[in-house]
Amino acid sequence: MEPIKDVHVAERGLLVVDVAAADEETALAFQAALAGRWATATADRTSRDPGEPGVRLRCYLDVRQDLASGGL
């Protein structure tokens, strides 16, 4: 995966989440669960690292806004 950039963690409440899962469906389902709760910049696909099991996915979260409770 690409290195994490300063802008992605420049403020309190910003997160970079790297996910490893057995398959793309599982990784995307986890990302969807995160996006249902917080503002999330989602990935549209997963990647595979040669020699590593499963798939990888990175998404970016802003937990300063709790979308589930109408915190917009």
Side-chain angles (χ1 to χ4, degrees):
M1 289 197 164
E2 298 284 325
I4 296 170
K5 296 184 170 66
D6 290 340
V7 69
H8 294 130
V9 292
E11 297 178 33
R12 183 182 188 135
L14 299 179
L15 296 160
V16 177
V17 179
D18 287 331
V19 177
D23 56 65
E24 184 170 285
E25 182 179 330
T26 302
L28 293 174
F30 177 73
Q31 175 182 247
L34 294 175
R37 171 122 179 133
W38 295 292
T40 309
T42 58
D44 57 353
R45 60 187 167 83
T46 60
S47 62
R48 290 189 179 272
D49 293 332
E52 296 290 324
V55 299
R56 305 284 186 268
L57 174 141
R58 176 175 283 170
C59 58
Y60 304 91
L61 274 70
D62 182 347
V63 298
R64 297 172 296 184
Q65 299 177 357
D66 184 354
L67 300 180
S69 65
L72 281 177

